[in-house]
Amino acid sequence: MKGCVLIPYRDRAEHLKTFLSDANVKLDVVVIEQADAKLFNRAKLLNIGFEEMKDKYDYFVFHDVDMIPFGNIDYSYCENICHLARKVEQFEYKMPYAQYFGGVTLFPKDKFILVNGFSNEYWGWGQEDDNLYFRCKKKNLNVEFRDIYYRSLRHESNMNIHTFRKNSQLSVDFERNPDMIESDGLNSLKYEIVSHETFKTHIHLKTIL
Ligand code: UDP
Ligand code: BGC
């Protein structure tokens, strides 16, 4: 089974440099850069990476650029969905809450299609990862975990109370009407790829959302 790491990215050059030199992940790395001035949309970038790469790989590791794995880095195939970022320095190597599903997750291709990918509607920081977990639960999919350790790269917080509230409201809407999963995700994804470059270390896509 062939897998790749997908990294949502914009304006974190130092982090990307460190990831590419220090994270010994042994899978192909694909960076999806948001090349517009809209609010950052981590989830949509990962959906785009999946769409662009789905014919070449069997499984996908959705990966924040500021988490550098160390120790036993097991990114091998798993037939179930698997949460990997469970021991992260920024959370003192503990889960911030029991259902935390952020940072790094592994999805076999078929399972990501079953949940219709991420929602495309979470703009700005927060909740898109919680919504992905909600999708997995609604589809009754097993979620496994691997306790992989991560060093955290420092950055200013991107948390904005207004966009966070908007995203919280969207999550409430999903809970009231889970059918929204069927109309918001991979099947409603719209974007444009503006460049596609292949480097020794990674593939770099730039996209407009
Ligand atoms: N990210 C990025 N540029 C941004 C915001 C986010 O590249 O301006 C990407 C990057 O991969 C980052 C991930 O989205 O690791 C999650 O965002 P962030 O690090 O802000 O979340 P936090 O670490 O605060 O949970
Ligand atoms: C946010 C998540 C985030 C987590 C840990 C939650 O409040 O909704 O998106 O990953 O906090 O920072």
Side-chain angles (χ1 to χ4, degrees):
M1 291 288 182
K2 200 169 170 210
C4 73
V5 165
L6 297 178
I7 300 183
Y9 174 78
R10 182 171 72 186
D11 201 19
R12 296 261 177 108
E14 279 306 312
H15 286 186
L16 183 57
K17 209 168 131 196
T18 304
F19 187 93
L20 294 172
S21 64
D22 293 11
N24 193 12
V25 292
K26 300 198 173 80
L27 296 180
D28 293 349
V29 174
V30 181
V31 173
I32 310 98
E33 177 169 354
Q34 185 171 335
D36 61 30
K38 292 182 183 171
L39 284 173
F40 193 71
N41 191 326
R42 174 179 181 269
K44 194 167 174 185
L45 291 170
L46 292 171
N47 278 347
I48 293 169
F50 177 84
E51 271 307 314
E52 292 295 311
M53 295 294 144
K54 68 179 181 200
D55 296 336
K56 292 199 189 136
Y57 298 97
D58 307 299
Y59 71 102
F60 298 84
V61 181
F62 302 115
H63 210 305
D64 283 3
V65 75
D66 61 357
M67 293 193 183
I68 310 294
F70 64 91
N72 178 23
I73 307 170
D74 180 3
Y75 283 7
S76 60
Y77 179 74
C78 179
E79 65 178 357
N80 288 313
I81 296 159
C82 193
H83 185 228
L84 307 184
R86 314 237 328 157
K87 305 271 183 192
V88 182
E89 184 186 1
Q90 77 186 90
F91 303 125
E92 294 166 350
Y93 301 108
K94 295 185 290 244
M95 289 282 277
Y97 49 96
Q99 302 199 330
Y100 171 64
F101 199 53
V104 189
T105 46
L106 186 158
F107 276 72
K109 179 160 44 184
D110 58 332
K111 303 291 187 323
F112 196 62
I113 291 170
L114 267 177
V115 300
N116 198 18
F118 282 92
S119 161
N120 299 306
E121 304 302 334
Y122 285 86
W123 299 88
W125 187 90
Q127 308 247 345
E128 80 297 337
D129 46 358
D130 304 309
N131 182 260
L132 187 63
Y133 188 73
F134 174 77
R135 288 166 176 255
C136 299
K137 290 288 123 188
K138 281 290 156 197
K139 297 283 176 183
N140 289 316
L141 296 173
N142 287 330
V143 176
E144 295 186 17
F145 62 86
R146 285 181 197 156
D147 278 338
I148 296 177
Y149 282 78
Y150 294 87
R151 168 160 74 92
S152 298
L153 303 179
R154 309 264 171 269
H155 62 83
E156 302 266 300
S157 170
N158 280 327
M159 198 317 188
N160 170 295
I161 192 65
H162 301 292
T163 52
F164 190 76
R165 280 204 191 116
K166 249 191 185 171
N167 289 348
S168 302
Q169 182 55 52
L170 183 57
S171 299
V172 170
D173 295 345
F174 267 103
E175 268 171 41
R176 288 194 183 134
N177 182 10
D179 284 351
M180 285 165 61
I181 294 171
E182 312 307 331
S183 56
D184 170 17
L186 291 174
N187 66 357
S188 63
L189 181 63
K190 290 194 178 62
Y191 63 97
E192 189 188 330
I193 297 289
V194 292
S195 75
H196 183 140
E197 290 176 284
T198 304
F199 298 99
K200 256 193 199 154
T201 44
H202 68 291
I203 293 172
H204 199 115
L205 307 179
K206 288 188 185 169
T207 182
I208 290 177
L209 306 187

